[in-house]
Amino acid sequence: MEKLYLGIELDDHGCNLSWLNPENESVQELADEKGQSWISAFLCLNIENGRWSMGEDAEAANGRRGSIVFKNLLSFLQSGQGLDVNGVYYTADDIMQEFLNLVLKEAMGRSGLNEVEHLVICLESVTITDAEKLTRICCRCGMDSMKVHILNRQECFMYYLMSQEHEKWSNTSFLFDYGQDGLYCYEMTVLKGLKPVTVKAAMEKMNGAPLMETIHGEGAEAAAADRWFSSLAEKKMAGKIVSSVILCGEGFAQLNWAEQFVKSIYSQKSRKVYQVTNLYGMGAAFAAYHMADEHKKFPYCCICTGRISTTVSIFVDEQNGSEQLILVRAGMNYYDARTSIELNLIEQKDLALYLRNTGAPEGYALHLDLSPFMENNRE
């Protein structure tokens, strides 16, 4: 029986659903009968019958008698607040659980599959509190915690791009994401000569980006916005071999306002340029599939915010000599990195951890004093 590898891009406005078909390893938006993969972040409780609804149905019930409507669900979750409804207190976790329960059921209904094998939720940025809360809530929805991952947009961008043809990311790649909240520039570069293949990404919110209202106008304002974007692209890509440029976001849905900008990003004949919708959700779906068996399906090391850049190991004595045991590998997600080992410390006064930064020819030792632990054991 096929299982669902699901990616959810989640923010305060709603969520986009994507899934990966394991038969051909292609990612698609998980759309409803109207062709929409988007679900708005509205949740409604019908006080009379106790039923919950989401999305357009919940939004339509806003202001209706006998209905309580929640919105901005991610911010509400992060606030840790709650609400009393007719003597029943709902925590922020309860509200998000009801929403995600409905989202997961909707995703299974759209896909025709009855089990979510792996789930990745993509947020703009992730804190440990976000990761713990969302993982705990997904477990309350019936998911196994080991099959739930909370990633940021940089990570999902990398998963999306590196699941494409090699020519799209063989050198340096850019993503320009332009929407109502501004312009975000992502840059991903392959670090040459490293095994496994290692890539590093960074994101920057560009100050001074023209408001979207200006690009839809005519005359001087639109032309000035075009020049600003063109100048930015030229500065960002100057002196670099750029394999691909990806454009996403509402601002790049139409490019009739951006003649100079388009010329700038097409300046190299070998450079590939793409317009992509729901990139983060599709990257999350790729991640859900790869993270189910990461070392076999995704043999790359990805370094960015939210990813560990240093490999940590120890040497242990075996019958056949000393062996290096890796505890944490560079490229692992901060919140997924976990190791449990049991050591027999025979007359050891310290424990040497060996750290090697990504790209460094050699590592270094960090010695942990074990005497406090030995004293506690004697007591």
Side-chain angles (χ1 to χ4, degrees):
M1 183 181 297
E2 292 184 359
K3 298 176 182 179
L4 178 59
Y5 297 92
L6 179 63
I8 301 177
E9 179 195 359
L10 177 66
D11 62 24
D12 245 1
H13 305 293
C15 62
N16 262 313
L17 306 184
S18 298
W19 73 302
L20 187 140
N21 186 337
E23 290 186 358
N24 54 18
E25 297 190 11
S26 67
V27 161
Q28 304 166 0
E29 292 183 290
L30 198 51
D32 59 14
E33 64 277 2
K34 299 178 182 178
Q36 299 293 322
S37 63
W38 172 259
I39 299 174
S40 60
F42 281 82
L43 182 70
C44 175
L45 171 62
N46 186 311
I47 298 176
E48 294 181 358
N49 57 28
R51 293 178 181 174
W52 295 88
S53 59
M54 67 173 181
E56 292 182 353
D57 292 339
E59 193 171 355
N62 196 15
R64 187 182 302 165
R65 187 176 180 180
S67 297
I68 301 294
V69 176
F70 304 88
K71 57 183 180 179
N72 300 327
L73 301 181
L74 185 57
S75 290
F76 190 62
L77 175 68
Q78 292 167 337
S79 74
Q81 298 175 359
L83 183 67
D84 187 285
V85 179
N86 288 350
V88 179
Y89 186 77
Y90 294 94
T91 66
D93 286 25
D94 295 332
I95 301 302
M96 182 59 77
Q97 180 185 347
E98 295 294 344
F99 180 71
L100 288 179
N101 249 327
L102 293 173
V103 169
L104 292 175
K105 289 178 182 177
E106 179 71 14
M108 288 186 282
R110 293 181 185 183
S111 66
L113 303 176
N114 59 8
E115 183 178 353
V116 179
E117 172 62 20
H118 242 75
L119 169 65
V120 169
I121 298 177
C122 175
L123 306 181
E124 180 179 337
S125 60
V126 180
T127 67
I128 188 169
T129 302
D130 294 332
E132 289 177 346
K133 281 188 175 183
L134 286 170
T135 301
R136 182 172 63 248
I137 290 168
C138 289
C139 290
R140 288 166 57 180
C141 293
M143 292 288 301
D144 182 337
S145 63
M146 299 301 292
K147 297 183 177 183
V148 177
H149 307 275
I150 315 300
L151 305 186
N152 63 43
R153 288 182 178 176
Q154 291 182 51
E155 295 172 283
C156 291
F157 163 55
M158 298 173 83
Y159 270 105
Y160 172 83
L161 191 54
M162 296 191 70
S163 297
Q164 310 299 311
E165 297 87 348
H166 180 255
E167 64 179 8
K168 292 185 180 181
W169 55 268
S170 56
N171 291 290
T172 296
S173 305
F174 283 91
L175 164 65
F176 294 100
D177 180 0
Y178 184 35
Q180 292 289 352
D181 56 347
L183 173 68
Y184 295 83
C185 177
Y186 296 76
E187 181 177 349
M188 189 186 88
T189 302
V190 178
L191 304 182
K192 302 297 184 182
L194 300 183
K195 291 184 179 181
V197 174
T198 301
V199 294
K200 189 173 184 178
M203 182 274 289
E204 181 181 5
K205 183 172 183 179
M206 307 310 301
N207 295 323
L211 299 176
M212 280 190 53
E213 290 77 6
T214 63
I215 67 173
H216 298 304
E218 296 182 359
E221 282 191 337
D226 186 13
R227 288 193 300 272
W228 188 92
F229 275 92
S230 176
S231 175
L232 172 69
E234 290 172 356
K235 290 177 182 177
K236 284 288 185 182
M237 294 184 278
K240 300 174 182 177
I241 301 176
V242 179
S243 302
S244 63
V245 177
I246 301 175
L247 306 177
C248 75
E250 184 182 353
F252 291 132
Q254 301 291 332
L255 294 174
N256 55 337
W257 60 273
E259 181 179 351
Q260 294 300 317
F261 173 62
V262 170
K263 287 181 180 179
S264 297
I265 60 178
Y266 274 102
S267 60
Q268 294 179 7
K269 290 184 179 180
S270 60
R271 182 181 299 164
K272 309 295 182 182
V273 179
Y274 306 90
Q275 289 175 269
V276 180
T277 58
N278 193 16
L279 180 145
Y280 307 115
M282 289 194 290
F286 275 122
Y289 181 57
H290 293 311
M291 295 177 85
D293 194 359
E294 186 155 1
H295 295 297
K296 292 182 180 179
K297 297 173 184 168
F298 198 75
Y300 310 118
C301 175
C302 298
I303 306 297
C304 66
T305 300
R307 295 261 156 174
I308 295 170
S309 60
T310 301
T311 295
V312 181
S313 62
I314 60 174
F315 284 90
V316 296
D317 292 329
E318 300 280 352
Q319 289 183 349
N320 299 325
S322 182
E323 180 181 345
Q324 186 178 19
L325 178 64
I326 294 178
L327 304 179
V328 177
R329 193 181 300 273
M332 295 180 70
N333 176 275
Y334 279 127
Y335 311 115
D336 289 334
R338 54 178 73 90
T339 301
S340 177
I341 60 173
E342 184 174 335
L343 300 174
N344 186 7
L345 301 172
I346 303 175
E347 297 183 357
Q348 291 235 184
K349 296 182 179 180
D350 66 9
L351 178 66
L353 298 177
Y354 291 88
L355 288 74
R356 183 175 179 179
N357 295 325
T358 301
E362 296 181 357
Y364 60 94
L366 177 65
H367 293 270
L368 300 180
D369 182 11
L370 297 179
S371 56
F373 301 99
M374 301 301 183
E375 292 173 3
N376 289 338
N377 287 336
R378 284 195 295 268
E379 293 176 2

